Amino acid sequence: MTLPPDPDLRPPPGTPGATAGALGRVLHLRAAGVSLVVQLHTTSTPTVLHWGADLGDLSEAALADLALSGRTARANNDLDEPQPVRLLPEQAWGWNGRPGLSGHRAGTAWSTRFAPTAALVEEGDGGGRLVLDAADAEAGLALTLELELLPSGLLRHRATLTNTGAAEYEVADLAPALPVPPVATKVLDLAGRWAKERVPQRRPLTVGAHVRENRRGRTGPDAPLVLAVGTQGFGFRTGEVWATHTAFSGNHRSSVEKLSSGTTTLAAGELLLPGEVRLASGEGYRTPWVFGAWSDEGLDGIAARFHRHLRARPHHPPRPRPVVVNTWEAVYFDLDLERLLDLARAAAQVGAERYVLDDGWFRHRRSDDAGLGDWYVDEGIWPQGLHPLVDGVRALGLEFGLWVEPEMVNPDSDLVRAHPDWVLRTGGRTPLPSRQQQVLDLGNPDAYAHVLARLDAILTEYEIAYLKWDHNRDLLEAGSGPSGRAGVHAQTLAVYRLLDELRARHPGVEIESCSSGGLRVDLEILEHTDRVWGSDCLDPLERQQIQRWTTQLVPPELIGSHVGASPSHTTHRSSDLSFRAGTALFASFGVETDLTRMDPAEREELARWVALYKEVRELLHTGTLVRADDHDPSFLVHGTVAPDGGDGLFAVVQLGTPDTSVPGRVRLPGLSPQAEYEVSAQAPGDVPAVRGGKDLPWLASGVRMNGRTLAAVGVAAPALQPQQLVLLRTRRL
Ligand code: DGJ
């Protein structure tokens, strides 16, 4: 596994602000209200002295004193010379927690002491970066650590380990660590399951390690998403928080570890399976990027940094996010050209802009038992190919999108019958089936080339604007090739390559990352795709929570959310259209129900929601996310405020039955404190409020208040029934 040359690893010679030979310095990087102070030791990997609030301009002398002031007293029964934790924690420097590197060469070189050989620092107005080369000649290893402070105020780091010895070196784990100060006493991360992804869990931070391991071979419904530590009682709007995210879609591990000394570190990286990374002489292994976010404005401050970062990606969708109509919950596998065209006409009528043909269009795919891998248009259903449908949809003015699941195969497919060895497996047995499917071994160059060629052919033949790229099972016993060696690492990188190669060949095509709903949501998949599917659960009651927590990392414009049927197909819970549409509104909006059978009055109401989405999508997709800290779990308030504070849209959402008969005031935070706003109900999301609002005079007349008052005092909430919401618009006067 030799690493390809990485043009990103070193700034070209002559880059402004780049300084080599920075060893021995205390480096101070600043961006977006964050300071990162790093001491570059001459004998070990660096120490992060401060990651948090902006410290302003500090002189060399002040930085030296900052370093000195952190030196701790000698403790009884401890090292003669106290040692700070290094970016790559090592036993050689007294670290008795989880080591930054675990590995060995036939039982030797298991403990390292890396000494820097070169350091390169780039400093600019919006952050900067450090690239540190280090070596342990005794162990026969070289290490490169990259640490960056990005313009968003996020930091990210990764490590590259190279085997400079003669014999093979096996890497078990490589994860640099970031220290957090003792004021962080609480932990929050996310768990969840299929159709209920990203459920928060909180615990006190105690001595020991809180470790989240993922061995699913995909990001998973229960990935921590962010593993955050913070001050007592930190919430959406308040508290100091440090969070980490592993940008990787395969196995990964995140942990927060507090030693009995009190030192606490956040560490994260790829979780390597036994023998998965064995480096021959000269070969290297690079970790995924691990992100760190700090804020003293609670979880919303953390979310704002991630959103800013994602919105600054060069490939961030520049166009307004179109209204999608997806066929899955409308017709499932019951594909019929006339029916699909009727659906397209109904979609155009309500104002949809993109039509996505979901699962079932390819050979042998009459159900989810067969066909995956046979990426040829099924001649039985489509004697003229997809052309009549694609042309019909496009003639209606809609873009055409298509579902694929390229990483998967059904044993009942022509592909597996012809190439039974193209399936990930080990130990001479086929992994237990899941959704009747197995995983194509993309580490096999022939399998990779085949699936690339098939997708390329389809994208070449049809005017396809969008691929919904699905992935519907965990990877079990995912051994690659004849040896059956653990292959999740190679598989994950191959998927990224495949996505990139298709995007390079078909630059206009957008790709959605779907995985049994919302099971592949991470920052690295978003480097290769344009939207994530939030969840297979369209029930708005569940979706309110799923979206509330998915937006902790991903901005709303990148999260697909569709108006489904009532009752919901996953929970069988019924809900008003206004609750379903008002929930999908705060995302990348779509519809996924049989519009041809919808009551005409309801279809008209839906068209009004589509029109509202088109009116407010720029606000929602460029604005700042606001999640109020709610005192009553039966309701929640969230919204978006325009970057200039001039406009805001909030949803007051009644989830369940409140304990009190009269709803109190709800606070609307996040607006410009001094600015004066007109607050009014936003149609068509005002309907429940009108129904229950005869006693709410301010809503009928509108009210004028400044941003500070709206945040600190708020307005009387309308009396809503469970599963109703009302939209409030705040316009600056
Ligand atoms: C799982 C996805 O999450 C659904 O939206 C749908 O595309 C099905 N797969 C199709 O098999």
Side-chain angles (χ1 to χ4, degrees):
M1 189 184 36
T2 312
L3 288 169
D6 183 355
D8 192 36
L9 197 58
R10 296 277 183 287
T15 303
T19 43
L23 292 176
R25 269 185 68 187
V26 178
L27 172 68
H28 184 194
L29 302 176
R30 298 169 64 197
V34 177
S35 274
L36 178 65
V37 184
V38 182
Q39 185 168 15
L40 299 178
H41 305 293
T42 49
T43 50
S44 72
T45 68
T47 298
V48 173
L49 297 175
H50 169 76
W51 165 36
D54 187 1
L55 303 177
D57 212 4
L58 292 181
S59 64
E60 295 277 320
L63 288 170
D65 275 353
L66 193 154
L68 182 62
S69 65
R71 298 196 65 167
T72 54
R74 233 172 87 178
N76 280 335
N77 195 25
D78 211 333
L79 297 174
D80 293 346
E81 184 67 47
Q83 295 293 331
V85 58
R86 312 301 208 275
L87 191 53
L88 190 87
E90 293 170 297
Q91 279 212 349
W93 291 104
W95 181 250
N96 54 19
R98 183 171 161 267
L101 169 66
S102 293
H104 67 103
R105 184 182 290 106
T108 68
W110 60 273
S111 183
T112 57
R113 190 166 95 162
F114 283 102
T117 52
L120 197 137
V121 171
E122 265 185 278
E123 294 169 270
D125 284 343
R129 69 178 190 152
L130 159 72
V131 181
L132 181 105
D133 290 325
D136 180 340
E138 181 74 27
L141 294 169
L143 177 76
T144 299
L145 292 173
E146 294 166 82
L147 177 64
E148 301 184 2
L149 184 64
L150 303 169
S152 56
L154 288 180
L155 64 79
R156 64 176 186 178
H157 61 77
R158 65 180 177 182
T160 306
L161 184 77
T162 306
N163 180 10
T164 54
E168 186 178 87
Y169 180 87
E170 178 172 339
V171 187
D173 186 23
L174 178 56
L178 295 168
V180 288
V183 291
T185 56
K186 298 287 174 216
V187 184
L188 174 136
D189 64 354
L190 304 181
R193 63 168 175 84
W194 174 79
K196 196 176 174 65
E197 295 89 341
R198 290 172 282 287
V199 178
Q201 50 183 17
R202 285 178 182 265
R203 69 191 66 225
L205 177 57
T206 51
V207 169
H210 172 59
V211 183
R212 299 296 309 282
E213 291 197 341
N214 169 302
R215 296 168 189 272
R216 295 174 177 275
R218 58 172 161 174
T219 319
D222 49 0
L225 196 76
V226 293
L227 173 58
V229 296
T231 47
Q232 175 77 28
F234 74 86
F236 286 119
R237 305 292 303 172
T238 58
E240 200 175 350
V241 184
W242 293 258
T244 185
H245 168 82
T246 313
F248 197 60
S249 317
N251 296 332
H252 55 284
R253 182 191 284 118
S254 315
S255 63
V256 53
E257 182 174 29
K258 181 172 179 173
L259 301 189
S260 54
S261 64
T263 304
T264 302
T265 49
L266 284 170
E270 183 176 3
L271 185 154
L272 297 173
L273 295 172
E276 191 159 38
V277 173
R278 295 187 308 185
L279 303 175
S281 182
E283 286 186 343
Y285 163 74
R286 178 173 297 144
T287 68
W289 283 114
V290 173
F291 285 77
W294 169 86
S295 174
D296 58 0
E297 293 177 343
L299 292 165
D300 275 2
I302 298 285
R305 295 200 190 283
F306 282 118
H307 296 185
R308 183 171 162 189
H309 171 74
L310 283 163
R311 285 173 174 167
R313 292 168 307 151
H315 64 277
H316 189 72
R319 292 188 296 135
R321 299 296 71 214
V323 177
V324 172
V325 163
N326 181 289
T327 62
W328 181 241
E329 290 203 3
V331 299
Y332 292 102
F333 287 108
D334 190 7
L335 300 191
D336 168 83
L337 178 61
E338 279 318 309
R339 187 167 176 204
L340 289 168
L341 284 171
D342 279 350
L343 184 63
R345 283 186 277 272
Q349 259 178 30
V350 297
E353 298 159 310
R354 177 178 282 168
Y355 179 97
V356 180
L357 176 62
D358 211 283
D359 198 353
W361 56 269
F362 46 97
R363 279 186 196 161
H364 309 125
R365 192 68 168 170
R366 302 280 54 78
S367 70
D368 59 19
D369 293 341
L372 288 175
D374 296 341
W375 303 111
Y376 297 86
V377 177
D378 186 279
E379 295 82 351
I381 323 176
W382 311 97
Q384 300 167 65
L386 292 176
H387 292 289
L389 182 64
V390 177
D391 295 348
V393 165
R394 288 175 46 79
L396 288 162
L398 280 76
E399 295 177 352
F400 185 82
L402 191 65
W403 179 97
V404 290
E405 194 177 356
E407 298 148 73
M408 297 291 158
V409 292
N410 286 115
D412 185 0
S413 65
D414 291 343
L415 187 80
V416 172
R417 279 184 283 274
H419 303 283
D421 55 320
W422 285 9
V423 171
L424 287 175
R425 72 178 81 205
T426 194
R429 56 188 174 267
T430 305
L432 290 178
S434 179
R435 210 191 186 209
Q436 298 78 247
Q437 60 196 57
Q438 296 292 345
V439 186
L440 186 68
D441 181 0
L442 293 176
N444 176 326
D446 295 335
Y448 178 95
H450 171 81
V451 76
L452 172 64
R454 285 314 311 144
L455 293 172
D456 186 30
I458 291 159
L459 289 173
T460 304
E461 179 169 357
Y462 298 103
E463 284 286 341
I464 292 174
Y466 186 72
L467 284 182
K468 177 178 175 184
W469 185 294
D470 211 339
H471 176 287
N472 282 304
R473 68 159 293 167
D474 286 348
L475 274 57
L476 288 175
E477 294 204 293
S480 175
S483 69
R485 275 181 56 178
V488 174
H489 172 76
Q491 181 81 1
T492 311
L493 299 189
V495 175
Y496 297 149
R497 260 199 333 275
L498 185 60
L499 286 160
D500 291 348
E501 193 139 2
L502 281 167
R503 276 152 55 108
R505 292 185 193 186
H506 304 277
V509 177
E510 290 187 7
I511 301 180
E512 173 176 52
S513 165
C514 170
S515 181
S516 315
L519 274 60
R520 191 146 69 180
V521 178
D522 62 77
L523 288 189
E524 189 56 36
I525 200 72
L526 279 167
E527 286 301 313
H528 310 273
T529 57
D530 304 283
R531 177 175 120 143
V532 296
W533 179 223
S535 174
D536 272 348
C537 186
L538 306 188
D539 178 341
L541 193 65
E542 305 295 343
R543 271 290 183 143
Q544 280 290 338
Q545 298 292 357
I546 294 168
Q547 286 168 209
R548 192 170 182 75
W549 287 100
T550 305
T551 50
Q552 187 56 55
L553 184 76
V554 183
E557 66 271 25
L558 299 181
I559 304 170
S561 185
H562 296 171
V563 177
S566 176
S568 150
H569 290 195
T570 33
T571 63
H572 294 272
R573 200 184 272 132
S574 299
S575 54
D576 291 350
L577 178 61
S578 65
F579 191 43
R580 282 174 275 148
T583 300
L585 183 77
F586 287 86
S588 173
F589 184 91
V591 179
E592 192 167 327
T593 185
D594 191 351
L595 286 168
T596 63
R597 294 182 191 176
M598 203 182 234
D599 170 74
E602 220 184 23
R603 225 154 84 174
E604 260 176 47
E605 190 191 335
L606 179 61
R608 285 199 294 280
W609 279 99
V610 169
L612 173 65
Y613 170 73
K614 290 178 180 172
E615 185 210 317
V616 296
R617 63 185 157 190
E618 191 183 338
L619 163 65
L620 296 176
H621 296 172
T622 59
T624 306
L625 173 76
V626 174
R627 293 164 296 178
D629 286 301
D630 315 309
H631 59 277
D632 177 345
S634 77
F635 82 98
L636 50 85
V637 177
H638 66 87
T640 307
V641 174
D644 68 353
D647 196 358
L649 185 66
F650 290 83
V652 179
V653 186
Q654 194 69 51
L655 302 168
T657 310
D659 290 338
T660 55
S661 53
V662 180
R665 287 182 186 258
V666 285
R667 294 171 170 179
L668 304 179
L671 296 156
S672 304
Q674 310 296 346
E676 197 77 16
Y677 292 90
E678 164 102 41
V679 189
S680 56
Q682 170 68 64
D686 57 346
V687 175
V690 171
R691 198 186 303 149
K694 44 187 178 304
D695 300 329
L696 201 54
W698 78 263
L699 201 53
S701 59
V703 71
R704 295 172 170 207
M705 295 165 83
N706 70 25
R708 190 187 303 282
T709 314
L710 284 166
V713 185
V715 291
L720 297 171
Q721 304 292 357
Q723 299 189 60
Q724 287 189 333
L725 59 76
V726 64
L727 298 182
L728 298 178
R729 189 78 179 256
T730 50
R731 281 203 173 86
R732 188 164 52 199
L733 293 167

